[in-house]
Amino acid sequence: MPDVFISYKREERPRVERLAAALTSLKFDVWFDAELLPGVTFLDEIQHALDVSRAVIVCWTPAAARSAHVLGEAEHGRRQSKLVAAFFAECPLPSPFNMIHAEDLSTWVGDVGDTLSAWRKILGSISALTQRPALQDFVNHSLEGDAAALRGWANDNWKDPLATEAVELARRLEAGEVQAAAVRPASRARNAAPPATGSGAPTQGNTAIERLGPKAVQAASADDGGEALVNLGRDYLEGFGAVRDYEAARMLFELAAQKGAPYASFNLGLMYLKGQGVLMNHTVARKHFEVAASRGVGAALTNLGIIQEQGLSGPRDFAKALHYYELAAAAGEDVAIANIAVLYGAGRGVRQDWSEARRLFEKAAQKGNASALDNLGTIYARGFGVAPNYPLARQCYESAAELGDVSAFYNLGVFHLEGKGGPDDPSKALSYFERAAHLGHASATANLAAMYANGVGVRPDLDRAVALLNRAAELGSASAVVNLGRIFGDRSSHLFNLQLARARFSQACDRGDEQGCFHLAQMLASGEGGAMDRAVAARIFERLSKDPTSGDLRGRAKTELSRLGIDK
């Protein structure tokens, strides 16, 4: 569903593209006629977009004021109290639009961070109509380069589509990867004219760079060793103030790398490591990280350690991973320090030592590493090398959550649900699970589903629970698939469906979940939800009965084998 519908006269297409790009960079879903799909009836698609959008921007020009289509779309927005009017060119307007104030955007060039009063008011109106009233604060904090304010904004507005970007931008600022002047949001302006030839003109003559607009041309011309190109490339890579565009990011990084910019090689390494706009290639990623590391980028050493630890470009080598992590840690990289702590906790490449793991997590936590704080919480919660201490664990989780750590949100949900380290509070548990689920945490999504299914801290809603379980299953939770099977297999439920129950248990069993296998075997043995197959059921029960990791399922499986007439 689009947030914003843009009505305009086709002659203004270049400026409308800049407006759409600016709004898209702020995570608005924008519709204008470029979004029309082949084979879709033109008027039907426009009418649908008008109906479902939450704001209608009309871009007034003399031609637009004479257009029946633009006037009709503007009237539609006016009647639904969602019209936002802007002049692209001053002109007389027919009634009733001559009574509605329109902001003058005739001099606006597409910069999200422009302090032009008219743009700020347009953005404020759209923010209010789309129920994102704090959006201007995000823009201001970004312009100021205020990391603390960005983290606070993300915490207060965690449902906003920009929350994750705010936390990442704060991290980049704190790490010194960008400076305040480089943070200024800038929307992509493909059709904007480049600067006039002169001292500030590009020396590259790169047509592809010119197509990215004046900011790219200026960055390519800067005598700064490629730093401006890197900053702009990061904007395109992560969608900060620009439409996410991996091709543009790669091109800018490659040009910056030719100028010797260390972070250009580092970011190219990330793109090949993650497969962002390029074919995933861990060997190529490693080579880029090696170049960046040779130029003093500590984070590149961390990533070289990760490649070795996870065996991404060859066999796993914990000793080499530790070597790279130690080099990065010596350079002050908190992620590397935390990763060394993980190796000590797991006993990989070193003798397992929870005391050393705790010391290193504490060191990384002092540097503001959220994951280290979350891991400290788990050490105190589970008593790894220390006496269990739930209150201290809760404090660690709370500190990690303040820094936006998704695992900490989940762990706090569990603590509030079960009353660990303090009183139980289902409503807070629900809130923390919602935040973690919003960020794609599978277990939090499954727990949230359980709360809706059982009416814990919220009114029971089985349909909502099923929707959440389906989402958790998509995120990889096998237990969510099992719980879907249980819901569909409940004869008292309005969702009772034995065929669906059996299908879900089979799916969970395929994922290696023993509960799912056990329930599937029961249904195979009885013929519920499909054909009876006692032989397959017996094989599953037999495997479970001999598996030392199956816990109480071993005894239950033996009981089921006895019922099938098989003595084990």
Side-chain angles (χ1 to χ4, degrees):
M1 181 178 76
D3 297 308
V4 180
F5 179 102
I6 302 178
S7 177
Y8 71 103
K9 192 65 176 160
R10 188 163 293 274
E11 291 83 350
E12 295 300 322
R13 179 63 168 270
R15 285 200 286 179
V16 168
E17 287 182 339
R18 292 200 290 273
L19 174 60
L23 294 173
T24 300
S25 74
L26 293 173
K27 309 305 178 190
F28 287 110
D29 188 343
V30 181
W31 193 100
F32 62 110
D33 59 14
E35 302 297 320
L36 284 172
L37 298 174
V40 175
T41 303
F42 184 80
L43 292 177
D44 289 347
E45 176 69 4
I46 289 178
Q47 187 62 47
H48 174 74
L50 269 172
D51 288 339
V52 300
S53 63
R54 293 189 284 178
V56 174
I57 304 177
V58 60
C59 303
W60 290 121
T61 61
R66 296 190 299 271
S67 167
H69 288 300
V70 173
L71 290 171
E73 290 160 3
E75 176 62 11
H76 190 101
R78 185 188 72 85
R79 288 184 177 180
Q80 293 191 353
S81 301
K82 58 184 183 183
L83 178 64
V84 179
F87 280 120
F88 273 11
E90 192 73 31
C91 61
L93 299 176
S95 179
F97 304 110
N98 57 354
M99 303 296 292
I100 299 172
H101 179 70
E103 298 292 343
D104 184 2
L105 288 185
S106 59
T107 62
W108 182 68
V109 295
D111 192 338
V112 173
D114 200 322
T115 57
L116 182 71
S117 174
W119 165 242
R120 291 297 181 100
K121 289 179 180 178
I122 289 288
L123 186 56
S125 297
I126 297 169
S127 301
L129 287 168
T130 56
Q131 298 181 342
R132 294 176 63 188
L135 184 60
Q136 192 63 64
D137 291 335
F138 168 81
V139 174
N140 292 338
H141 298 330
S142 299
L143 292 175
E144 295 158 2
D146 190 333
L150 282 165
R151 288 193 183 277
W153 184 89
N155 190 55
D156 294 338
N157 301 277
W158 61 270
K159 289 186 177 180
D160 192 281
L162 283 166
T164 303
E165 281 80 356
V167 172
E168 174 61 14
L169 181 53
R171 185 201 65 75
R172 289 173 62 193
L173 286 162
E174 291 164 348
E177 294 177 13
V178 290
Q179 303 299 320
V183 172
R184 181 180 181 86
S187 60
R188 185 171 184 175
R190 287 185 180 273
N191 297 286
T197 302
S199 60
T203 59
Q204 302 293 326
N206 192 325
T207 303
I209 289 291
E210 291 174 359
R211 282 202 298 268
L212 294 180
K215 289 186 179 295
V217 173
Q218 184 178 1
S221 305
D223 185 18
D224 61 356
E227 188 173 329
L229 286 165
V230 172
N231 287 325
L232 187 58
R234 285 294 296 266
D235 286 340
Y236 284 122
L237 179 65
E238 300 182 7
F240 287 129
V243 179
R244 179 169 284 165
D245 188 329
Y246 292 136
E247 180 185 355
R250 179 183 56 76
M251 179 171 56
L252 291 164
F253 291 146
E254 287 177 347
L255 184 57
Q258 293 171 17
K259 293 187 172 189
Y263 275 98
S265 298
F266 173 75
N267 285 303
L268 283 168
L270 289 179
M271 293 186 75
Y272 281 99
L273 184 68
K274 301 175 182 179
Q276 294 175 317
V278 294
L279 288 176
M280 186 182 293
N281 189 321
H282 296 141
T283 300
V284 173
R286 177 173 54 78
K287 291 178 180 178
H288 282 298
F289 287 138
E290 286 171 348
V291 172
S294 71
R295 293 173 175 173
V297 180
L301 289 164
T302 302
N303 280 284
L304 286 170
I306 291 170
I307 287 173
Q308 293 293 337
E309 182 183 356
Q310 297 183 7
L312 299 180
S313 65
R316 282 187 170 193
D317 192 326
F318 296 121
K320 285 186 178 179
L322 182 62
H323 170 70
Y324 282 122
Y325 289 151
E326 287 176 338
L327 290 174
E333 289 294 318
D334 57 282
V335 175
I337 297 169
N339 287 357
I340 296 172
V342 171
L343 291 178
Y344 272 100
R348 292 175 177 168
V350 292
R351 178 178 56 83
Q352 187 177 52
D353 187 338
W354 280 109
S355 295
E356 181 64 5
R358 186 175 76 255
R359 184 188 72 81
L360 290 166
F361 280 136
E362 288 172 349
K363 184 177 180 180
Q366 289 170 2
K367 290 177 171 289
N369 186 286
S371 177
L373 282 163
D374 179 63
N375 277 293
L376 278 174
T378 300
I379 284 176
Y380 289 115
R382 300 188 182 182
F384 291 144
V386 295
N389 187 329
Y390 287 149
L392 185 53
R394 183 184 281 213
Q395 289 176 23
C396 291
Y397 290 145
E398 286 172 346
S399 297
E402 288 176 3
L403 295 174
D405 188 84
V406 62
S407 177
F409 292 143
Y410 166 72
N411 286 320
L412 281 172
V414 172
F415 266 46
H416 282 287
L417 186 63
E418 299 179 359
K420 292 180 176 178
D424 65 310
D425 190 331
S427 63
K428 285 188 176 180
L430 187 79
S431 176
Y432 280 119
F433 286 145
E434 283 180 337
R435 294 188 69 170
H438 180 72
L439 295 170
H441 195 288
S443 296
T445 308
N447 281 14
L448 191 61
M451 294 185 77
Y452 275 99
N454 300 313
V456 178
V458 68
R459 180 176 296 179
D461 187 338
L462 197 58
D463 293 312
R464 172 69 173 151
V466 167
L468 287 165
L469 286 172
N470 280 321
R471 173 59 179 153
E474 290 173 1
L475 292 169
S477 171
S479 65
V481 182
V482 173
N483 285 329
L484 282 168
R486 287 170 174 154
I487 289 174
F488 292 132
D490 183 356
R491 296 180 184 276
S492 66
S493 167
H494 70 282
L495 297 174
F496 174 66
N497 186 319
L498 286 177
Q499 288 77 22
L500 283 179
R502 181 159 163 171
R504 294 298 178 268
F505 289 140
S506 178
Q507 182 183 0
C509 188
D510 289 342
R511 294 187 182 187
D513 186 276
E514 293 177 343
Q515 290 283 347
C517 291
F518 180 82
H519 289 299
L520 173 63
Q522 284 184 315
M523 298 189 80
L524 287 167
S526 65
E528 288 185 314
M532 181 184 295
D533 194 329
R534 291 164 60 88
V536 173
R539 287 199 294 271
I540 294 174
F541 286 137
E542 185 174 1
R543 177 174 58 80
L544 292 173
S545 71
K546 294 180 178 179
D547 187 348
T549 66
S550 295
D552 69 329
L553 280 182
R554 292 183 68 187
R556 295 170 64 191
K558 289 178 181 179
T559 300
E560 293 295 335
L561 281 171
S562 296
R563 290 178 180 172
L564 290 172
I566 301 173
D567 185 16
K568 290 288 178 182

